[in-house]
Each structure stands twice: as structure tokens, then as C-alpha cells.
Amino acid sequence: MKDLVFDLIEREKVRQKEGLELIPSENYVSKEVLEAMGSVLTNKYSEGYPSFDELTAERSLEERILDTELPNYRYYGGQVNIDKIERLAIERAMRLFRADHANVQPHSGANANEAVYYAWCEPGDKILAMNLAHGGHLTHGAPVTRSAHIWKFIPYGVTAEGDIDYDELERLALEEKPKIILVGYSAFMKIPDFERVAKIGQKIGALLMADMAHVAGLIAGGVHPNPLDFGFHVMTTTTHKTLRGPRGGLILSKGKVSSPLRKPEKTLENIPTLIDRSVFPGTQGGPLEHVIAAKAVAFGEALRPEFREYAAKIVENAKTLAAELKERGFILQGGGTENHLILVNVEASFGLNGKVYEKALDKVGLTLNANALPGDKAAAFRPSGVRLGTPAITTRGMGATEMKQIAEWMEKVAKISQKAASEEELDEFAEEFKPIREEVREMALKFPVPSI
Ligand SMILES: *Cc1c(COP(=O)(O)O)cnc(C)c1O
């Protein structure tokens, strides 16, 4: 008898097919990415790294990798194929983001961030990062994390207009002299001024780190600036959000690449090697080579011209959706969006609790998440906002007509939700949600999820 798990996977396929994924950090991977992830590579232990020796030849990267016997720094034998796969992932990631080095082993974005902190900082050192309540990320110093117990995080915020408060960032940098200045966020809809932050960091000799987990696909697709082009030393990212690869992390850096066997001095130039040693053996064990293979496939996809079109369409759709929402009375944080993400102040727009609205949208098959907005009080219980984005629905091929339709459904659901004082009371309006649920399903089925 087949394990129950497979039955549940089938049900999840139906959920994904029949609903619309508006969570801005989610996406649908290609069949090839899925295949690499579900491969026999999971059977292999590969602690260590492939070599970083120059591959000198005029042929394509793929041909050179296949032909070259690579030495390695691994603990176990049998790496002949694994080394080439990991090296391919590294080379493609470097090309995609114009980096001098890539570490493709972090199991997740959280691991990638912690590995960078551990590579550069001593316990107690200061890290300047965006306030979680203003759009930053848990891994940027939330008190519940291990990182916050090891390092001292100093938060900077956003202005009333929703942009980074660069003056505050500069003042804090000069006062506190942090070892790292971190630009990164999970609920922010503007394009950061990397150049300005780099100048501030250079004044105090800080490591400049960007956590681009949300927008990496936009950077890869050429519709968002790349922090590594503006003097940033390190960029971390997840590979599963706009980048549309398997669930995992990635660290890109600028500097001199050398053997991870030698412990280098802690200089900005040595960052790539410090990071490699920090990922393994510093903070992780054996790499997930099946996931690394899927990363290599996804990076290969992102290097193709079609991906540039995809990235541009994500932003175009987000702008259209933002405009359609505004027309229907939704008040947007920052007045709109410059990337893939929209933050709606549903409290100010419709007097709604973000959590109740999230649950109501769930009932019609529109998935997004409640999100606190800067200045929210008792945010965990009554967040004023919801966060949504267009990466996943753009993968399904949706465009302006569908954005308009989604905004219409969101308005209808907001008006029904206004009548409910709590999540439980939403059940009383089941009959009103039903026809909208049917419409959402009908449209969703017209835009297939890749590989399902
Ligand atoms: C999603 C995200 C992460 C964490 O990634 P995980 O893979 O969930 O650990 C880190 N930083 C930012 C900015 C993110 O958006």
C-alpha cells in the first residue's frame, strides 16, 4: 500500500492548482528543478567543497566542467559527479550575479545569514539591520533567534513614506560603528539606494551585506539593481522566492578566492574563504547535493533570456495590481510598489484586522499573509496590513486582466469581512464566499502550475 504521504501530496497538488498563490515569497518551480531535487544525489555524503581552480579554455562552461578532472576538498571519496554538479551551480550563480564567489551549500536563507555573521563577527559585535517591525527579517536580529543572543543587532527603520531612513542609518552607523551593515527585508516595496549605504559603510570599514532573498530573481532578471555592483561585499539570498529554484540558501561575495583548508586573516578581501569555512564546518554538516543540483538547474533557467521577460512581468503585474487595488479604495504602504511586493493597510482602508482578512481570502482560494505595518501596536494580534506579491501568479502566465480580476475579488472579500468581528464569525458568511471561491477556481485552472 502506498504511504499516506503520497495521498497528501496529491491533495496539495489540487490545492496549488485550484488556488492563487499571492504570498510574495512563494513560487512554482519547473519540472526539471523538481526532478533534480528528487534524484539519487540525496544518497551521497559530500562534506567539503569542489576545487575552485581556474577552468581555462574557450569552450562553454558546461563543456569545460564535463572534461576537467577537478581536484577537491572533500572528506569522502566518490565525488566525481557531485564535484561537477556543485561547481556548475557555483559558476552559474557567479555569472548570474556578477560575483567573485558563490557558496551554494546553505540549507536555507536563515543559515546563509548566520554563516555570514559567524564568518565576520566575534560574539558581542554589532550588526546594523532593518527593524523587523519596519519590514526587516527574523534572521536580522529578532530576539527569539540564536543570532540575537550572539551578536548585538541595532535596528534602523523606514520613514513615513515607506523608504529606508538613510539619515538614521548613517547616524547609527557613525555612532555605533557596527561590523556589518545589512540591507535586506521581507516586507519592503522600494528599491534601496545601495550606493548611499556603501558610502556610509566605507566610512567605518564595515562589511556591506545585502540579504536579497525576496528580490534575487528580479536582480537575476535585470530589473532590480545588484548590490554587488555598488561596493557591497556579500549578498545572501534564498533560492526559492523570485529566483524560482528549490528551497535553499546562497551566499555570493566579492574578494579573493583561495583554498578553504587554510584559515585566512579576517580581511574584507578574504571574505569568500571566510564564508566557505563558516558554512562548512562552521555552521552546517553535509551539503544537500540533490538541492544543489536543483539550484544549478534553476540558475541555468535564470540565465536564459526568457527569465528576463519573467522578471519584468513580475514587476509589471505588481504595478498593475497595486494600481487596481488603489482604485478600489485600498491604501498601500509607500503608495505603490517598485518591486514584486505590495503592502496594504487594510485597517486604514476598510477598518479590517489583517488576520481576519487573510482568513477570509483563504476561504476563496486567495493565499496571502497578514503583516504588521510600521508603528502597529499589539501587532501580533491585530496586524493592520496584508502582504502580497506577483511572482507565483506571473509564473502561471497571468497578466493585466487577471490582476484586475484579483483586485475585484479582494474588494468583494474585504466588504464581506467588514461584517465579521472575528475569524470565527467569518463562517456566518460562507454562502457569500462560495461564488467567489468558484470564480477563483475557474480562473486558476486556466493557468496551469508548471509540473502539475
Ligand atoms: C525568506 C527570507 C529569509 C529566510 O529564508 P529561509 O529559507 O526561510 O530561512 C531570510 N531573509 C529574508 C530577507 C527573507 O525574505
Side-chain angles (χ1 to χ4, degrees):
M1 205 178 73
K2 238 185 170 185
D3 196 294
L4 170 64
V5 164
F6 294 98
D7 187 33
L8 291 168
I9 291 174
E10 287 309 311
R11 291 193 206 182
E12 174 61 10
K13 281 186 192 167
V14 173
R15 188 195 69 86
Q16 292 192 11
K17 267 201 307 204
E18 295 190 349
L20 294 186
E21 189 52 72
L22 297 171
I23 294 176
S25 50
E26 297 197 8
N27 215 329
Y28 309 106
V29 298
S30 69
K31 191 159 185 292
E32 289 73 21
V33 168
L34 270 187
E35 265 173 23
M37 242 187 307
S39 69
V40 293
L41 299 176
T42 193
N43 297 338
K44 188 77 197 96
Y45 243 120
S46 310
E47 287 155 313
Y49 291 100
S51 89
F52 308 123
D53 295 359
E54 286 288 329
L55 293 168
T56 48
E58 264 91 58
R59 289 169 303 158
S60 75
L61 169 67
E62 285 74 8
E63 283 173 314
R64 281 181 282 150
I65 284 205
L66 272 180
D67 277 5
T68 317
E69 265 308 311
L70 298 167
N72 67 15
Y73 316 103
R74 303 276 197 190
Y75 282 47
Y76 300 131
Q79 310 292 349
V80 55
N81 302 309
I82 295 279
D83 278 344
K84 291 177 197 279
I85 290 167
E86 187 167 341
R87 182 70 192 257
L88 197 55
I90 291 169
E91 297 280 347
R92 285 180 178 169
M94 284 162 56
R95 203 193 283 175
L96 205 47
F97 295 101
R98 297 182 287 285
D100 294 335
H101 185 52
N103 187 308
V104 296
Q105 293 192 2
H107 301 331
S108 73
N111 291 41
N113 285 342
E114 190 163 339
V116 177
Y117 307 150
Y118 185 61
W120 190 240
C121 297
E122 299 301 323
D125 278 351
K126 293 175 184 169
I127 300 171
L128 185 59
M130 192 190 275
N131 191 338
L132 174 62
H134 286 214
H137 190 260
L138 271 176
T139 58
H140 301 171
V144 290
T145 60
R146 175 172 55 183
S147 297
H149 289 262
I150 305 177
W151 300 289
K152 187 172 184 325
F153 286 83
I154 297 156
Y156 60 85
V158 297
T159 61
E161 291 73 41
D163 207 353
I164 292 175
D165 188 341
Y166 293 99
D167 293 334
E168 182 188 34
L169 190 156
E170 176 154 27
R171 180 177 58 74
L172 288 169
L174 298 177
E175 270 171 29
E176 303 275 357
K177 306 261 180 333
K179 290 290 286 286
I180 296 179
I181 298 180
L182 171 53
V183 174
Y185 37 78
S186 49
F188 181 66
M189 69 313 281
K190 306 249 181 219
I191 291 180
D193 188 345
F194 293 120
E195 203 171 354
R196 180 157 179 202
V197 179
K199 283 204 182 109
I200 297 169
Q202 281 150 9
K203 280 191 202 167
I204 58 165
L207 177 82
L208 290 157
M209 171 178 175
D211 174 357
M212 297 288 100
H214 260 265
V215 294
L218 305 184
I219 296 172
V223 295
H224 188 291
N226 178 347
L228 296 177
D229 294 341
F230 294 90
F232 273 63
H233 307 101
V234 179
M235 173 177 143
T236 56
T237 179
T238 53
T239 46
H240 51 273
K241 297 179 184 173
T242 47
L243 197 47
R244 210 161 62 178
R247 198 157 286 282
L250 168 69
I251 309 175
L252 301 142
S253 51
K254 291 278 193 186
K256 188 179 67 185
V257 182
S258 59
S259 157
L261 296 178
R262 283 185 298 275
K263 184 162 194 262
E265 265 187 89
K266 273 199 181 178
T267 62
L268 288 170
E269 198 191 17
N270 286 332
I271 275 293
T273 315
L274 292 165
I275 285 171
D276 279 345
R277 293 173 60 92
S278 179
V279 172
F280 176 83
T283 55
Q284 285 191 175
L288 313 177
E289 292 294 345
H290 54 306
V291 177
I292 289 173
K295 287 175 185 172
V297 174
F299 300 155
E301 290 174 0
L303 281 163
R304 292 192 204 127
E306 302 90 276
F307 196 84
R308 299 182 83 83
E309 288 167 30
Y310 166 60
K313 191 77 188 171
I314 293 177
V315 178
E316 189 189 312
N317 277 342
K319 291 189 169 161
T320 307
L321 182 54
E324 293 288 346
L325 286 169
K326 274 165 85 166
E327 223 167 82
R328 290 168 177 77
F330 287 92
I331 297 167
L332 309 189
Q333 195 73 1
T337 183
E338 294 175 359
N339 57 25
H340 65 300
L341 182 147
I342 300 166
L343 266 182
V344 187
N345 189 336
V346 290
E347 170 79 51
S349 323
F350 294 96
L352 285 172
N353 172 341
K355 205 74 205 167
V356 172
Y357 188 47
E358 172 202 298
K359 294 285 175 236
L361 287 165
D362 250 347
K363 291 185 190 297
V364 303
L366 298 175
T367 312
L368 47 61
N369 65 284
N371 213 95
L373 299 176
D376 256 5
K377 295 191 183 64
F381 308 105
R382 199 186 159 83
S384 312
V386 295
R387 188 186 71 148
L388 67 160
T390 51
I393 52 176
T394 304
T395 293
R396 288 175 86 156
M398 295 183 185
T401 316
E402 290 73 33
M403 298 308 117
K404 184 166 180 214
Q405 180 57 256
I406 291 168
E408 261 177 48
W409 286 325
M410 286 181 64
E411 184 191 12
K412 279 189 187 161
V413 172
K415 293 201 164 138
I416 301 171
S417 312
Q418 277 178 322
K419 298 186 264 183
S422 66
E423 283 175 38
E424 293 72 39
E425 275 186 40
L426 286 172
D427 291 338
E428 294 169 24
F429 305 96
E431 285 307 311
E432 293 183 53
F433 289 127
K434 225 186 229 164
I436 307 174
R437 176 68 192 107
E438 276 319 306
E439 285 175 28
V440 171
R441 181 179 288 120
E442 197 182 311
M443 186 175 101
L445 289 173
K446 286 196 194 129
F447 293 88
V449 174
S451 83
I452 299 187

